[in-house]
Amino acid sequence: LATYSYKHGRGKEKGALTYSDLSHTAEECETFQFLADILPKKILASKYLKMLEKEKRDGEVGEDEDEEDDDDEDESVGEDAGS
């Protein structure tokens, strides 16, 4: 992994092997793809927090729609039982 990352990454230009070279190799090369979860790409904390906030908003919208559907089902069951 280190040799491949060094040869195919930017490490050769800089004379150093970086974490980003390793994570890029793990993600892009089929031989090392099993390591992609162990060597994830780095992201800034601010970007991660924005992603979490967006997922939370999307999740809340989806939950509201599900609750409305459940209410509709309860009403139709009540109507059937009354007739």
Side-chain angles (χ1 to χ4, degrees):
L1 173 64
T3 304
Y4 186 91
S5 297
Y6 182 78
K7 287 180 182 177
H8 294 92
R10 289 185 277 160
K12 211 170 193 177
E13 297 168 7
K14 295 179 181 179
L17 179 62
T18 63
Y19 180 87
S20 62
D21 292 334
L22 294 170
S23 65
H24 181 75
T25 299
E27 190 172 301
E28 300 298 322
C29 182
E30 285 187 38
T31 306
F32 300 110
Q33 221 160 27
F34 70 98
L35 296 171
D37 292 336
I38 297 169
L39 294 166
K41 285 191 173 186
K42 286 187 178 181
I43 61 170
L44 296 175
S46 58
K47 286 185 180 180
Y48 179 72
L49 292 174
K50 286 179 184 177
M51 286 172 35
L52 287 178
E53 187 177 310
K54 183 177 185 258
E55 286 179 8
K56 184 178 177 183
R57 281 191 307 236
D58 292 346
E60 288 175 358
V61 170
E63 289 174 8
D64 291 345
E65 291 173 0
D66 291 342
E67 289 175 7
E68 290 173 6
D69 292 342
D70 292 342
D71 292 342
D72 292 342
E73 289 175 9
D74 292 342
E75 291 173 7
S76 63
V77 170
E79 292 171 5
D80 292 340
S83 38

